[in-house]
Amino acid sequence: MPALARLHLITDTRPGRDPVAVARAALAVAGPRVAVQVRVEDETSDRDAYDLALRLVDECAAVGACCLVNDRLHVALAAGAAGGHVGALDLPVAAARRVLGPAAVLGATAREPGSARAAVEAGATYLGVGPCYPTSTKDGLPDPIGPPGVRAVAAALDVPLIAIGGVTAARVPELVAAGAYGVAVVGALSGAADPGRATSELLRGLPR
């Protein structure tokens, strides 16, 4: 199973964004220290999601980085991604594990120790914990849990926690101090004037 990167770039496919260019800039700086999670809007067709995933799998492979696909596990398999990530309204973790197989990376979303423990027991490789702070990149999210919420999950489980939701370079140290293995970002890179430089700033707060 590939080593889990500490910085996860989640693609932003909203109008006016260029997820491939952002990923390419991040990968040029970070190489295998960044993982790319392909996430598309609900209305995006499977064909378009597949085309994007295929391009990003190739971009990641060129530098030895891991590429995952969120939600659409059939797209992950078809594109040759290293695995996937499922949220609360996607396939249950145990079902996702059966789809992807035993060797794939599988992330699951959690926000408190009970659901986190259940996800790990069902086969999750790592947990996406959050939202940690207010964020506008995804609608309908529950209230932020902050570093104390990350700390509660970290105290209960010994698996990598990827903190997500409103993460900025300035907030990375307090999340790591709370027990996060790494962080996942959308707007911190997709909205940056210089995604490569923004990647370096995020990495500065993460363990190597």
Side-chain angles (χ1 to χ4, degrees), residues 4 116 120 124-127 153-154 156-162 179-181:
L4 188 67
V120 172
T125 308
Y126 73 91
L127 298 171
V153 177
L157 292 160
D158 187 23
V159 297
L161 306 184
I162 303 296
Y181 171 89

Side-chain angles (χ1 to χ4, degrees), residues 12 14 17 39 41 135-139 141 165-166 186-188 190:
D12 189 346
R14 292 175 296 176
R17 309 287 173 142
R39 186 172 78 187
E41 303 299 306
T135 176
S136 60
T137 57
K138 192 172 183 181
D139 296 329
L141 293 174
V186 183
S190 72

Side-chain angles (χ1 to χ4, degrees), residues 5-191:
R6 293 187 184 270
L7 175 60
H8 288 224
L9 162 60
I10 300 178
T11 58
D12 189 346
T13 59
R14 292 175 296 176
R17 309 287 173 142
D18 187 343
V20 175
V22 172
R24 189 176 292 135
L27 290 165
V29 169
R33 294 186 69 196
V34 64
V36 177
Q37 292 189 27
V38 182
R39 186 172 78 187
V40 298
E41 303 299 306
D42 290 343
E43 62 272 16
T44 303
S45 69
D46 279 350
R47 179 56 184 267
D48 287 345
Y50 169 75
D51 288 344
L52 176 60
L54 204 60
R55 292 181 68 186
L56 291 173
V57 164
D58 286 346
E59 294 282 347
C60 288
V63 296
C66 177
C67 185
L68 308 174
V69 176
N70 286 20
D71 313 335
R72 305 191 194 196
L73 301 185
H74 57 302
V75 172
L77 291 171
H85 185 102
V86 291
L89 300 180
D90 301 317
L91 279 179
V93 177
R97 175 53 72 195
R98 289 195 295 273
V99 169
L100 292 176
V105 177
L106 175 58
T109 299
R111 55 185 280 107
E112 46 81 27
S115 61
R117 188 175 295 106
V120 172
E121 290 173 352
T125 308
Y126 73 91
L127 298 171
V129 181
C132 294
Y133 307 96
T135 176
S136 60
T137 57
K138 192 172 183 181
D139 296 329
L141 293 174
D143 292 338
I145 61 172
V150 175
R151 186 174 294 108
V153 177
L157 292 160
D158 187 23
V159 297
L161 306 184
I162 303 296
I164 184 171
V167 175
T168 63
R171 289 167 168 166
V172 170
E174 66 183 8
L175 293 169
V176 171
Y181 171 89
V183 298
V185 297
V186 183
L189 288 181
S190 72

